[in-house]
Amino acid sequence: MRIPCYSWTPRVMPRIVTCLLISLLAWFPMAVQAQEDDGQALLEALDTRSFDDKSDAITAIIESEHERADVWLQALLDSDLQRLKDSGRFVIALETAGLDVTVEDAMTGEAIGEVSRRDLDRLTINNALRSQLRSAISLVELYNGEQDARLDAARRLIGNVEEEQVEPLTNRMAEEPSAAVRHRLNQALAVYRLNQGDVEAVEVLSGSLNSNVRVALNRATQSEDPLVVDAATTALADIEQNLKINRAAETLYFGLSMGSVLVLAAIGLAITFGVMGVINMAHGELIMLGAYTTWAMQQLLPGQPGLALILAIPAGFMVSALVGVAIERGVIQFLKGRPLETLLATFGISLILQQLVRTVISPLNRTVITPEWMSGSLVVNDALSLTLNRMYVLGFALVVFAGLILIMRHTRLGLEVRAVTQNRNMARSMGIRATRVDIMTFALGSGVAGLAGVALSQLTNVGPNLGQNYIIDSFMVVVFGGVGNLWGTLVAGMSLGIINQVLEPWAGAVLAKIIVLVFIILFIQKRPRGLFPQKGRAAEG
Amino acid sequence: MWLTRPFNERSTQIFLLILTVAVIAVTVLHLAVPAGHPLYVSGYTVGLLGKYLTYALLAVAVDLVWGYLGILSLGHGAFFAIGGYAMGMYLMRQIGDRGTYGDPILPDFMVFLNWDSLPWFWYGFDMAWFAFAMVLIAPGLLALVFGWLAFRSRVTGVYLSIITQAMTFALMLAFFRNEMGFGGNNGLTDFRELLGFDLRSGATRLGLFIASGVALALGYVVCRSIVGSKLGRVCVATRDAEARTRFLGYRVERFQLFVFVVSAMLAGVAGALYVPQVGIINPSEFDPIFSIEIVLWVALGGRASLYGAVIGAVLVNYAKTVFTGVMPDAWLFALGGLFVFVTVFLPQGVAGLLGHLKRRRDDEPSDSETPDKEATA
Amino acid sequence: MTTFLRKTHPKTSRVFSTALLTAAMMGTSAHAIAQDEDPIKVGILHSLSGTMAISETVLKDTVEMLIEQQNEAGGLLGRDIEAVVVDPASDWPLFAERARELLEQEEVDVIFGNWTSVSRKSVLPVVEELNGLLFYPVQYEGEESSENVFYTGAAPNQQSIPAVNYLHDQIGVERWVLAGTDYVFPRTTNRILEAYLKEEFGVADEDIMVNYTPFGHSDWQNIVSEISRFGSEGKKTAVVSTINGDANVPFYRELGNQGIDAADIPVVAFSVGAEALTGIDTSPLVGHLAAWNYFMSVDSDANYDFIDAWLAHTGEDDAVTNDPMEAHYIGFNMWVEAVQKAGTTDVDAVKDAIIGVTVPNLSGGSAAMMPNHHITKPVMIGEIQDNGQFAIVWQTPSTVAGDAWSDYLPGSRDLISDWRKPMECGNYNVVENRCMGSNAEEQAEEALAE
């Protein structure tokens, strides 16, 4: 019988002892050097159920300055530090394949090969240990890391400075080359001083938007020293004012970001629906195909999610455009002049495409990796940071929009499309091949949907239902903006996004959405052709 | 003078005859034939058929506005669901103190969400007459307000379709909210009795099946009399050329509004009969997808032919029952393919096909009721 | 039309039975021992299409696997077990219809099925009317105890309350965000938690933030930023998440991007399993928590055997197991044991026999069926690792019995459930000393009949 070394109940203590004995037995006969003895003992201390004891063990490892200490800590942080059940040997997991794990020896770093995961015990950590490990690693980095790492380490110190750290930190501040890091360290020390009741510290802290600073100032307002209370209150009022502005900026950014998603999803529809008069209910599925293309590209280029994402932009466009052409040729061309019936037929196509993805790929969501350069956020100040993935999507939406405007205004295709839209028969008699224009327009609209899918893969689930979640919103945006008007779509998308995000904090997400929908319904009653109605004959079409 | 006598029409007579025979046949086969006999109709099947009949009534309601008025409503599921909720609220109140917590007034979901009193819009639903009136009034009122706003400002064609979709979508989101007091996602369920009849007995289910048949027949006659009348002619004229009809001096929006409200009420009745048969009403009936599906039934059966709508609803739902049982994966392929096939190859639906065959046999000129062109202007 | 309608029924049933036979044959193809008697029929009522198919299909496969195993081990009472699979297509009314089909047409002896609360509520009247047996495998909001339903998933006291205890005692959380999808499970759980936090830990109103979002919510910017502001007031803050399904991926992604680290504001989720984490890059989520009664990473032989069998059954190396699968494993084995004990598959006999039945669970302990039709379960807290699995960081010292009626809700505080004779009541009010609701009436009728 295998003896589980891990178990929570106290009554199995003897088992742990047995485990220890077995490990000791396995360990003693080996000819080991002193260094390894120490290492083994240090790691041995980690193998305990109590997270408090583990915490002590980590401190011991940090203080031991063992040459492999950093490897261990990193492995522990990544949950790769494991132990063979039978021999008690500590190993570091390198790769997991199915039920087997490739490991190396934790002491020496020599490769061991594949081991069944049944034979491994993982040394688990919890959040407390994780932050202990991180701050240990980051404290080291404060002295010899890159500037960003140093800045981050200094930020972590705000509100967390202990008495014995004051002196080394003051020294460090004097040596620190970067002004930004120095500023942070200064603030960190000031918070410490403020907690000790030093009024002058408030001056250093005023204007800071850091939440720990705010907490410290708030605490200072409860102080017994009236001077401190006064200073802290003034500083806080100042900060509150500043925060309000930042919060407004943040809401605006949220709105623009949501708007950019709406614009991206709707702009392809604005072309097929607005220009061609085709109600393409399969538009959402064309978006979905773009997202799946991104996933497929990442599967083709493992390890290079960024490159795959960039390549997915043309690929997603092509895939959706081709499917769009197939839809146009296969179905829509037979339904000329019957827009409401295109709605039904394309709805059928959307069901087929969804089920196709479920059957061929999987009903489960697919993992699309966000490349390093797109994750995280751009820190404007302590109270305002703009998430990078959304910023890229916002930029991408604007680029796509500008590209479409250019195509419609300044290319022959755009000219022909406009001609066919305005008067099909006249355009044909002028020698424009209307059928070709139809195909090209539909391909363009569908391709743009594919682009939207590439972008959305970075924000939401990539699954068979992706398209359905956006189709209704897309129609609302196009109708609200005015069918056949690209600028209308941009303005509509952005304003709906902003309205939604402004309403959300006080109305809640659901109510905000309902209010927006009711608003659109009422707006259409007032202006049946949207914000920017099409003028002239085409409007009667 | 605006309404005709529909019973004089041959198609109506045939339809009513077939419906009556079918309902009686099912009843007899259910009651008189012993279980196990190949001709026996089980309680399960009776329930299934009852559900189909309510769907058929819903399809007739949609066909009335789409086929004869040219309004493609993508929100009729909302009227159906509201009728269903009105019935559901009555059934909830009928539970009385037999609920889990034994509260004589509050339904269970309100008790455990800590509501201390009944919201005002639940008042009166303990009385059958009030609830049944609301089955007609609530969807009718919504249609009246919505239609008045839309038709007055001449929102037509695609725009109208999209905003009907927005309406049902907004209602779905609203009914999903637990604060609304309609049971949120769980909806209303665990019904006990309707007008004193135990909903868990086979006899009540048979009664509901027959009631659904009667409702369908009545609904059909109402629609037929509208369609066959002068009012119906104006509707068809509006569908085919709204501007011209307007120029001829007809207040088009009034006709549209009237028919739209009647259609919504019929949908409400369908919903009210649907709920006790399936035993639950929840916001998923508001799903825009469901509303689009109803339109497919009509398209498949044959737009602008009321019996076509009935055929379409029964056919598609029967197919759904069979397919989701046999090959669940293939169902969406089949449904999707059906959409494409019908719109491209069968623009007149099954009814059109039947009419075509009949004309061929009789070799007589057609009585064109089907739309000449899409009304989008 | 007439002919059509008339033909419907025989045809329906024929088509159905062929289909079900095929399905059943596929389910038991590995095994074809001729049995004298008819097979025992087990109904499987899980959505195989529609939105819930993602979660429910694996449960259908699980029951099929368990049936296969049981048949290989010689069947039950000397008879083969046959799976009858139907697809309610994530459509709630269809659940009731299919349940009726299973019980009335197919005459199954037991049903394993349902995932969502609403589908269970839809099926409940049918199962009670036709006196069927339903094993429901998913954690749920409680506030229900039916004579015909066995709840093998967790009740609120087997999941949420131990989880907040852990956060409060071990992590020192003082400020709470209760975020959920707007449906009955989060609503009830959050109500219970709110009452519990105030009562037990004296948490003030301003230290609790409650937020509801719709299904499939994808724009989390505002809410996450609100959470981050709420958490930066100097008190340790945690998010208790009852966010359901698809909405989780964008939620966690936004958390990661806005830089909310598990070390600062941990999120403990009640509806996120390892399978929900497919479709998400887990590296920013490391350290966030989930509370379940089973994790795939549980270190026990029973679990490894189950995983091996599951991998073999699905033929996929990276197939994952989850908590509701374990619930079906327990439920199925309990039913088998109860049938053996009763010597028959008769519903009333099995219902009586199953109370007290104890079977092994997958975490090395055992689960017992309580008189209130809930089972005993250990509660575990897992932290997300960068491989998408959960490492168990805490576990209740012993198993916890499921409580149908929460002690922290005013309406249900006084209710208890006991389906043994003589009480036989799912909602007995101990203050008024009577059985509430419908069962009271039925009991009276029964008493009269006797």
Side-chain angles (χ1 to χ4, degrees):
Chain A
M1 192 192 127
R2 190 177 294 113
I3 302 165
C5 290
Y6 268 175
S7 182
W8 284 110
T9 43
R11 62 193 151 83
V12 287
M13 267 308 283
R15 274 201 204 155
I16 294 175
V17 175
T18 324
C19 285
L20 278 173
L21 274 179
I22 293 172
S23 354
L24 287 175
L25 286 177
W27 174 59
F28 265 121
M30 290 197 293
V32 285
Q33 296 143 0
Q35 176 80 15
E36 278 196 24
D37 281 3
D38 297 345
Q40 186 75 14
L42 284 170
L43 292 181
E44 206 75 62
L46 277 177
D47 194 358
T48 156
R49 299 243 41 120
S50 150
F51 286 113
D52 287 344
D53 294 350
K54 272 189 194 173
S55 171
D56 295 342
I58 291 170
T59 317
I61 292 179
I62 297 168
E63 283 167 359
S64 75
E65 292 175 13
H66 192 279
E67 58 173 12
R68 284 185 69 79
D70 49 342
V71 180
W72 295 336
L73 293 181
Q74 193 62 47
L76 187 60
L77 186 59
D78 299 339
S79 305
D80 284 336
L81 192 60
Q82 314 206 359
R83 193 168 197 193
L84 287 174
K85 279 183 185 171
D86 47 357
S87 65
R89 189 171 174 191
F90 286 96
V91 294
I92 292 173
L94 301 174
E95 205 179 338
T96 309
L99 287 173
D100 295 325
V101 187
T102 315
V103 295
E104 65 172 29
D105 190 284
M107 285 308 130
T108 58
E110 75 178 286
I112 295 179
E114 289 199 349
V115 189
S116 163
R117 85 175 165 214
R118 284 187 183 217
D119 300 332
L120 285 172
D121 263 338
R122 189 195 278 257
L123 296 181
T124 51
I125 54 172
N126 65 6
N127 276 316
L129 295 183
R130 201 169 281 119
S131 40
Q132 188 192 355
L133 285 167
R134 284 222 191 101
S135 54
I137 294 171
S138 85
L139 256 187
V140 175
E141 278 174 346
L142 182 61
Y143 288 88
N144 50 21
E146 296 289 312
Q147 177 170 341
D148 283 352
R150 294 205 306 276
L151 197 63
D152 199 48
R155 194 179 56 83
R156 273 170 193 278
L157 281 170
I158 297 178
N160 294 318
V161 176
E162 306 287 332
E163 194 183 344
E164 65 270 16
Q165 286 173 317
V166 172
E167 205 188 315
L169 285 180
T170 319
N171 296 339
R172 177 65 217 162
M173 203 165 83
E175 291 163 27
E176 175 58 51
S178 152
V181 180
R182 272 204 307 277
H183 180 62
R184 287 292 163 93
L185 283 173
N186 196 15
Q187 282 186 341
L189 290 168
V191 169
Y192 173 78
R193 289 205 307 277
L194 178 64
N195 289 345
Q196 307 299 316
D198 180 0
V199 190
E200 278 155 37
V202 175
E203 202 164 326
V204 182
L205 297 177
S206 65
S208 166
L209 297 172
N210 185 294
S211 62
N212 282 343
V213 169
R214 219 159 57 242
V215 171
L217 285 172
N218 258 323
R219 205 178 303 134
T221 55
Q222 314 293 323
S223 158
E224 285 165 11
D225 183 349
L227 274 178
V228 174
V229 173
D230 272 2
T233 316
T234 329
L236 268 178
D238 204 32
I239 290 173
E240 284 302 326
Q241 188 61 31
N242 208 336
L243 276 179
K244 265 191 199 136
I245 298 168
N246 277 301
R247 200 162 301 165
E250 188 187 57
T251 308
L252 182 69
Y253 175 71
F254 289 165
L256 287 176
S257 156
M258 187 182 185
S260 68
V261 171
L262 289 175
V263 170
L264 263 180
I267 196 98
L269 203 64
I271 295 172
T272 51
F273 177 38
V275 178
M276 281 180 77
V278 172
I279 309 177
N280 184 12
M281 292 298 280
H283 183 75
E285 278 57 45
L286 294 170
I287 297 177
M288 173 192 77
L289 287 179
Y292 271 96
T293 311
T294 318
W295 168 75
M297 290 306 284
Q298 289 195 345
Q299 298 300 304
L300 288 176
L301 294 170
Q304 289 183 305
L307 180 66
L309 184 64
I310 290 168
L311 289 177
I313 294 174
F317 184 90
M318 286 312 292
V319 168
S320 293
L322 285 175
V323 174
V325 169
I327 295 175
E328 207 278 337
R329 285 292 88 190
V331 177
I332 291 172
Q333 63 158 326
F334 302 114
L335 301 171
K336 273 274 130 53
R338 293 191 284 165
L340 292 180
E341 290 182 28
T342 59
L343 186 155
L344 294 181
T346 49
F347 181 71
I349 294 171
S350 95
L351 294 181
I352 294 175
L353 285 175
Q354 268 177 46
Q355 191 58 32
L356 201 66
V357 167
R358 277 201 197 99
T359 316
V360 176
I361 299 178
S362 162
L364 293 176
N365 293 332
R366 300 287 93 188
T367 313
V368 173
I369 301 163
T370 307
E372 201 65 32
W373 44 268
M374 265 185 87
S375 34
S377 43
L378 176 76
V379 180
V380 178
N381 58 40
D382 279 324
L384 180 66
S385 47
L386 310 177
T387 46
L388 277 176
N389 60 344
R390 288 186 175 270
M391 193 177 295
Y392 276 99
V393 170
L394 178 58
F396 185 67
L398 294 177
V399 169
V400 169
F401 179 78
L404 279 178
I405 290 285
L406 284 180
I407 289 177
M408 293 309 255
R409 286 271 164 84
H410 298 290
T411 64
R412 180 154 186 92
L413 175 69
L415 186 69
E416 291 182 352
V417 168
R418 280 180 291 146
V420 171
T421 317
Q422 282 172 14
N423 192 327
R424 191 178 181 87
N425 290 330
M426 186 67 82
R428 287 183 58 175
S429 63
M430 302 300 283
I432 293 173
R433 281 182 292 170
T435 315
R436 191 178 145 272
V437 171
D438 282 347
I439 300 174
M440 295 296 283
T441 318
F442 205 81
L444 182 66
S446 310
V448 171
L451 292 181
V454 175
L456 282 176
S457 74
Q458 293 302 316
L459 298 180
T460 185
N461 292 295
V462 178
N465 296 333
L466 170 68
Q468 262 185 5
N469 299 334
Y470 287 94
I471 186 73
I472 293 179
D473 287 344
S474 305
F475 271 109
M476 296 306 145
V477 169
V478 174
V479 168
F480 178 54
V483 175
N485 190 318
L486 293 182
W487 282 102
T489 306
L490 180 74
V491 173
M494 289 298 180
S495 41
L496 290 183
I498 293 172
I499 296 175
N500 209 317
Q501 293 294 330
V502 169
L503 288 176
E504 205 182 292
W506 64 268
V510 195
L511 210 53
K513 191 150 193 190
I514 295 171
I515 294 173
V516 167
L517 283 169
V518 172
F519 167 73
I520 293 176
I521 293 175
L522 292 176
F523 186 86
I524 293 298
Q525 323 280 3
K526 200 75 202 152
R527 298 188 65 160
R529 300 215 169 257
L531 271 177
F532 299 97
Q534 224 171 11
K535 295 193 181 72
R537 284 201 164 184
E540 300 299 315
Chain B
M1 70 185 184
W2 282 95
L3 300 178
T4 50
R5 266 176 280 165
F7 296 104
N8 295 344
E9 284 168 340
R10 198 158 144 241
S11 67
T12 314
Q13 290 167 350
I14 295 176
F15 175 80
L16 291 179
L17 183 72
I18 292 176
L19 184 65
T20 316
V21 170
V23 170
I24 292 174
V26 169
T27 312
V28 170
L29 292 180
H30 176 62
L31 293 178
V33 178
H37 191 276
L39 280 178
Y40 172 68
V41 176
S42 69
Y44 162 70
T45 317
V46 170
L48 213 58
L49 292 173
K51 190 180 86 170
Y52 293 169
L53 289 180
T54 61
Y55 280 157
L57 179 56
L58 176 59
V60 166
V62 169
D63 196 18
L64 182 65
V65 288
W66 186 35
Y68 295 94
L69 208 52
I71 296 171
L72 177 55
S73 166
L74 298 183
H76 254 57
F79 303 126
F80 179 77
I82 289 175
Y85 266 100
M87 177 59 98
M89 286 159 81
Y90 164 69
L91 296 173
M92 286 308 269
R93 295 296 302 271
Q94 287 307 102
I95 297 173
D97 63 357
R98 285 165 297 171
T100 309
Y101 302 100
D103 192 302
I105 294 179
L106 295 185
D108 283 348
F109 72 88
M110 291 190 191
V111 178
F112 77 68
L113 290 179
N114 244 4
W115 293 57
D116 40 17
S117 63
L118 204 63
W120 60 269
F121 45 82
W122 276 77
Y123 288 139
F125 277 95
D126 48 340
M127 293 170 284
W129 65 267
F130 180 82
F132 293 168
M134 287 314 276
V135 164
L136 291 169
I137 293 170
L141 203 63
L142 176 66
L144 187 72
V145 172
F146 186 87
W148 181 72
L149 286 167
F151 301 134
R152 188 189 52 134
S153 48
R154 300 188 198 173
V155 181
T156 49
V158 175
Y159 291 87
L160 192 59
S161 302
I162 302 281
I163 61 167
T164 49
Q165 192 172 40
M167 173 191 76
T168 191
F169 187 55
L171 281 168
M172 177 174 81
L173 293 176
F175 273 74
F176 263 127
R177 298 180 73 231
N178 275 288
E179 288 96 341
M180 283 284 286
F182 292 106
N185 180 47
N186 270 17
L188 310 176
T189 178
D190 205 20
F191 308 134
R192 310 278 156 133
E193 54 196 35
L194 171 66
L195 295 170
F197 296 106
D198 184 5
L199 277 175
R200 298 184 181 189
S201 85
T204 313
R205 265 198 299 281
L206 185 68
L208 281 167
F209 163 73
I210 295 170
S212 304
V214 172
L216 176 60
L218 287 176
Y220 188 89
V221 168
V222 167
C223 291
R224 203 61 242 176
S225 51
I226 290 178
V227 165
S229 65
K230 192 179 168 198
L231 185 134
R233 292 286 153 199
V234 178
C235 287
V236 173
T238 311
R239 175 190 77 193
D240 293 338
E242 185 174 330
R244 279 187 223 175
T245 318
R246 219 182 274 280
F247 287 139
L248 286 173
Y250 291 103
R251 299 289 293 268
V252 168
E253 61 276 9
R254 293 192 181 171
F255 291 91
Q256 287 173 321
L257 195 55
F258 174 73
V259 175
F260 193 63
V261 169
V262 169
S263 165
M265 286 175 162
L266 287 177
V269 172
L273 285 164
Y274 169 82
V275 168
Q277 300 194 59
V278 300
I280 182 169
I281 174 78
N282 101 325
S284 59
E285 309 296 339
F286 285 105
D287 194 335
I289 305 285
F290 175 59
S291 291
I292 298 180
E293 231 178 88
I294 307 167
V295 174
L296 172 81
W297 306 342
V298 177
L300 176 79
R303 187 185 157 193
S305 115
L306 293 172
Y307 64 90
V310 174
I311 296 176
V314 175
L315 265 185
V316 175
N317 283 295
Y318 174 67
K320 187 175 188 170
T321 307
V322 174
F323 269 103
T324 51
V326 185
M327 349 176 227
D329 282 346
W331 164 241
L332 281 180
F333 284 128
L335 187 69
L338 205 59
F339 268 101
V340 177
F341 179 81
V342 168
T343 40
V344 176
F345 297 106
L346 270 185
Q348 321 275 299
V350 175
L353 207 64
L354 291 178
H356 188 68
L357 293 176
K358 178 170 166 278
R359 274 199 298 282
R360 234 190 217 173
R361 208 180 51 225
D362 300 355
D363 197 27
E364 60 187 31
S366 71
D367 160 38
S368 174
E369 265 187 353
T370 45
D372 305 333
K373 76 172 187 70
E374 195 71 46
T376 51
Chain C
M1 194 65 192
T2 334
T3 45
F4 172 75
L5 273 181
R6 267 202 212 118
K7 271 182 185 165
T8 307
H9 336 297
K11 210 168 150 196
T12 323
S13 38
R14 220 180 301 137
V15 175
F16 271 145
S17 35
T18 337
L20 295 169
L21 216 66
T22 329
M25 277 179 349
M26 284 192 283
T28 56
S29 58
H31 174 75
I33 306 169
Q35 301 277 354
D36 296 337
E37 288 180 85
D38 288 340
I40 294 174
K41 283 184 171 180
V42 171
I44 305 180
L45 186 64
H46 282 300
S47 301
L48 311 177
S49 56
T51 47
M52 289 311 295
I54 296 180
S55 309
E56 291 194 65
T57 311
V58 290
L59 293 185
K60 180 210 80 174
D61 293 339
T62 308
V63 180
E64 281 183 340
M65 177 181 89
L66 292 167
I67 290 174
E68 223 170 85
Q69 287 174 348
Q70 189 67 33
N71 282 336
E72 268 158 30
L76 182 58
L77 303 179
R79 290 157 70 188
D80 251 355
I81 306 179
E82 178 190 305
V84 182
V85 182
V86 291
D87 174 26
S90 313
D91 178 348
W92 319 134
L94 209 53
F95 266 93
E97 194 180 302
R98 293 280 186 248
R100 188 173 290 280
E101 181 190 339
L102 283 174
L103 292 170
E104 222 168 57
Q105 302 271 98
E106 299 294 335
E107 298 178 343
V108 298
D109 297 298
V110 61
I111 298 176
F112 291 86
N114 298 70
W115 181 292
T116 57
S117 270
V118 53
S119 71
R120 189 191 66 252
K121 291 277 185 206
S122 166
V123 163
L124 192 68
V126 177
V127 179
E128 285 183 350
E129 176 193 329
L130 301 173
N131 195 23
L133 277 182
L134 172 69
F135 283 81
Y136 175 67
V138 183
Q139 30 67 283
Y140 83 120
E141 67 278 3
E143 303 302 299
E144 185 182 303
S145 178
S146 164
E147 189 177 1
N148 301 79
V149 182
F150 293 91
Y151 307 83
T152 52
N157 71 320
Q158 290 174 303
Q159 195 186 22
S160 45
I161 289 190
V164 298
N165 281 342
Y166 167 78
L167 287 174
H168 182 264
D169 300 343
Q170 312 273 325
I171 316 269
V173 173
E174 297 168 279
R175 224 167 139 81
W176 306 81
V177 180
L178 310 178
T181 302
D182 190 3
Y183 71 108
V184 66
F185 170 66
R187 288 266 174 190
T188 317
T189 305
N190 289 348
R191 286 205 65 77
I192 293 174
L193 286 183
E194 231 183 303
Y196 181 79
L197 290 173
K198 286 177 185 168
E199 219 163 285
E200 300 289 317
F201 305 141
V203 177
D205 268 333
E206 77 255 18
D207 284 336
I208 298 179
M209 164 179 157
V210 184
N211 182 288
Y212 293 104
T213 41
F215 283 96
H217 190 60
S218 64
D219 194 311
W220 289 93
Q221 307 180 85
N222 238 313
I223 293 162
V224 168
S225 124
E226 235 169 277
I227 289 174
S228 137
R229 272 201 295 277
F230 187 80
S232 63
E233 303 286 324
K235 286 183 184 170
K236 181 74 185 172
T237 305
V239 180
V240 177
S241 153
T242 35
I243 296 163
N244 182 276
D246 270 3
N248 276 301
V249 174
F251 173 62
Y252 280 112
R253 210 170 246 190
E254 192 69 36
L255 278 180
N257 281 326
Q258 292 200 16
I260 296 189
D261 194 86
D264 307 328
I265 304 180
V267 177
V268 57
F270 298 152
S271 315
V272 176
E275 84 284 357
L277 295 179
T278 60
I280 182 167
D281 175 13
T282 45
S283 44
L285 308 185
V286 171
H288 286 305
L289 308 150
W292 285 106
N293 309 101
Y294 164 81
F295 286 103
M296 191 181 178
S297 54
V298 163
D299 186 24
S300 80
D301 281 337
N303 184 36
Y304 288 126
D305 291 340
F306 184 75
I307 293 174
D308 286 350
W310 177 243
L311 296 189
H313 183 81
T314 57
E316 285 172 31
D317 265 355
D318 52 357
V320 289
T321 57
N322 61 29
D323 182 279
M325 285 170 66
E326 191 220 14
H328 261 341
Y329 169 86
I330 295 170
F332 184 82
N333 288 336
M334 280 181 165
W335 174 74
V336 166
E337 191 126 316
V339 168
Q340 278 161 349
K341 201 166 129 191
T344 165
T345 56
D346 177 69
V347 169
D348 288 320
V350 173
K351 242 165 24 190
D352 287 341
I354 200 168
I355 291 174
V357 162
T358 304
V359 298
N361 61 20
L362 290 181
S363 46
S366 57
M369 178 60 75
M370 308 304 287
N372 63 358
H373 287 191
H374 289 64
I375 66 172
T376 56
K377 282 169 168 283
V379 187
M380 306 170 186
I381 309 280
E383 273 187 12
I384 301 177
Q385 306 292 300
D386 49 1
N387 59 1
Q389 280 288 334
F390 289 88
I392 298 156
V393 293
W394 182 83
Q395 186 173 1
T396 45
S398 58
T399 55
V400 180
D403 185 6
W405 305 103
S406 172
D407 300 338
Y408 296 93
L409 290 181
S412 66
R413 185 169 287 161
D414 306 327
L415 298 180
I416 59 162
S417 162
D418 190 335
W419 287 107
R420 289 172 301 189
K421 287 180 192 346
M423 188 183 267
E424 284 192 280
C425 176
N427 41 0
Y428 188 86
N429 190 313
V430 287
V431 174
E432 297 175 31
N433 273 326
R434 67 184 181 98
C435 188
M436 312 292 283
S438 57
N439 304 104
E441 193 185 32
E442 275 160 33
Q443 261 192 334
E445 274 167 28
E446 268 166 38
L448 273 179
E450 279 164 18

